[in-house]
Amino acid sequence: MIDISHLVKKYGSKYAVTDVSFHVGEGEVVGFLGPNGAGKSTTMNILTGYLSSTSGEAKVGGIDILENPDEAKKLIGFLPEQPPLYVDMTVDEYLNFVYDIKACKLNRVKHLEEIRKVTKIDDVKKRLIGNLSKGYRQRVGIAQALVGNPPVIIFDEPTVGLDPKQIIEIRNLIRALGKNHTVILSTHILSEVQSVCDRIIIINDGRIIADEKTENITEAVDQHRRYDVKVAGPQKDVLPALRAIPGVTSAELTGERELDSYVYRLETAQGTDVRKPLFYAMAEKNWPILGLESVGMNLEEVFVRITERADSQRGA
Ligand code: ADP
Ligand code: MG
């Protein structure tokens, strides 16, 4: 459904995208993951015809976005990083306006009503967009992408700036859309793509460094688990006891404490699960475990893991 081949974008002498190629099949929900400045928006803007490339090809449904932009754009619903909203229009006026520019052929009243329902903005249809909360505005941005019922949906960082409840709602909406659309969503948050996408493409510094099923990436990341454990016991004794547990490669105080309990950060060896031995070791000493939390990785660490893994697979 989407074919990107050797895409390059230069600004002056600087590469925003160095050489990006990937394919997305019909019905796939793909996460485009990378830190700020990686080239996500540039790639998505080229793919959707908002920006021209320096070289390379982008095709949607077999149609080249440069050669035949009008036809290609009909297949795409796009939520850019800055949604193109008109703050002095009501939600209804705006969706009708989008309907007109897209020259949509579906039944106007029925189609727009359906979109307002799916995106849960029916209750604000008479409100000015300028008076809506960030969460509602984002949904209106998603609603405009859905006008015309395009088979391909592209969302650029759809949950940035939303509160946790709104994030959950938008993710649920994307999951629901993924059931009958091809979806690409960009984000700099690993857990976001893990929770929504079948496949993850990781981009860093204008290059793709991984393109894998979500479960494979999760596995690579999970191989070295990290925990914060809170133990009620004398820290000078707890620390060596933690370090003595098989599978624990390091234990350090985090500096957090609550009365006589201290929080320790544990790093663990690849492929081990230290939780049971940890429980028994502490129980034996009568030091209650008051908390155990898995500590997520930041993107930098994920990159290191993924690249290490790719290197070792190539070497093997
Ligand atoms: P992301 O969306 O992953 O955060 P972008 O695609 O926005 O990354 O940017 C990729 C790189 O290109 C960054 O280094 C950014 O500074 C640069 N860049 C983006 N747009 C422009 C522009 N209009 N002029 C010059 N450099 C740009
Ligand atoms: Mg961006």
Side-chain angles (χ1 to χ4, degrees):
M1 200 65 185
I2 294 170
D3 275 296
I4 293 209
S5 159
H6 300 294
L7 209 63
V8 176
K9 179 71 184 179
K10 273 168 103 171
Y11 289 107
S13 61
K14 190 181 167 296
Y15 286 90
V17 167
T18 306
D19 179 10
V20 163
S21 303
F22 61 86
H23 170 84
V24 177
E26 191 171 347
E28 271 194 291
V29 179
V30 172
F32 204 43
L33 176 69
N36 286 330
K40 303 183 295 296
S41 295
T42 304
T43 305
M44 292 183 136
N45 287 334
I46 293 171
L47 177 59
T48 52
Y50 277 64
L51 195 67
S52 62
S53 59
T54 304
S55 63
E57 256 187 359
K59 284 185 180 174
V60 180
I63 303 171
D64 190 301
I65 189 83
L66 277 184
E67 283 170 12
N68 216 337
D70 292 343
E71 287 306 304
K73 280 184 186 180
K74 277 187 194 147
L75 301 175
I76 306 172
F78 182 37
L79 175 71
E81 203 162 22
Q82 312 288 342
L85 300 175
Y86 292 94
V87 291
D88 49 1
M89 283 186 187
T90 67
V91 170
D92 240 355
E93 285 165 355
Y94 175 64
L95 291 180
N96 272 286
F97 166 75
V98 174
Y99 181 99
D100 291 334
I101 351 183
K102 289 196 184 178
C104 184
K105 299 280 188 299
L106 300 163
N107 179 296
R108 182 188 291 261
V109 173
K110 230 175 97 189
H111 181 50
L112 294 185
E113 187 186 345
E114 215 170 87
I115 289 175
R116 290 195 311 265
K117 275 199 184 134
V118 176
T119 52
K120 299 202 175 104
I121 54 173
D122 210 34
D123 49 331
V124 296
K125 66 180 176 187
K126 302 276 183 238
R127 300 253 306 264
L128 281 179
I129 291 176
N131 294 338
L132 296 179
S133 67
K134 171 92 179 140
Y136 267 109
R137 283 190 196 200
Q138 198 68 350
R139 284 159 198 242
V140 175
I142 293 176
Q144 68 69 35
L146 299 183
V147 173
N149 200 13
V152 176
I153 294 193
I154 298 180
F155 288 162
D156 195 358
E157 306 242 16
T159 62
V160 161
L162 302 185
D163 67 36
K165 184 165 169 276
Q166 294 167 337
I167 289 178
I168 292 170
E169 287 169 357
I170 297 288
R171 285 184 190 169
N172 286 339
L173 173 57
I174 295 170
R175 255 188 233 112
L177 290 171
K179 294 203 174 112
N180 44 18
H181 293 85
T182 304
V183 179
I184 304 187
L185 124 114
S186 84
T187 176
H188 60 278
I189 304 160
L190 175 66
S191 61
E192 178 144 297
V193 279
Q194 282 179 309
S195 74
V196 179
C197 303
D198 315 320
R199 206 174 107 209
I200 302 180
I201 296 173
I202 302 184
I203 181 168
N204 191 30
D205 218 359
R207 288 170 212 275
I208 288 179
I209 61 164
D211 180 346
E212 299 239 19
K213 284 185 172 166
T214 303
E215 60 208 59
N216 293 347
I217 300 239
T218 301
E219 194 183 295
V221 168
D222 274 358
Q223 274 180 352
H224 304 255
R225 283 178 191 262
R226 246 185 337 191
Y227 299 97
D228 277 353
V229 59
K230 189 193 265 186
V231 182
Q235 50 151 295
K236 70 173 193 353
D237 301 325
V238 174
L239 205 48
L242 288 172
R243 288 179 179 149
I245 295 168
V248 171
T249 53
S250 85
E252 299 297 339
L253 275 163
T254 62
E256 252 183 276
R257 68 174 289 191
E258 179 194 331
L259 303 173
D260 64 340
S261 314
Y262 296 83
V263 178
Y264 306 84
R265 167 76 47 96
L266 306 183
E267 306 270 351
T268 71
Q270 180 169 341
T272 59
D273 187 341
V274 301
R275 289 172 298 176
K276 286 179 187 169
L278 168 67
F279 169 84
Y280 289 119
M282 297 297 105
E284 195 184 305
K285 304 275 196 180
N286 273 321
W287 297 328
I289 293 176
L290 301 186
L292 181 63
E293 259 179 62
S294 176
V295 180
M297 284 188 192
N298 63 37
L299 263 189
E300 291 301 316
E301 292 168 311
V302 172
F303 291 151
V304 173
R305 299 284 185 242
I306 306 273
T307 6
E308 274 174 2
R309 193 161 169 271
D311 288 348
S312 75
Q313 279 171 353
R314 257 194 300 280

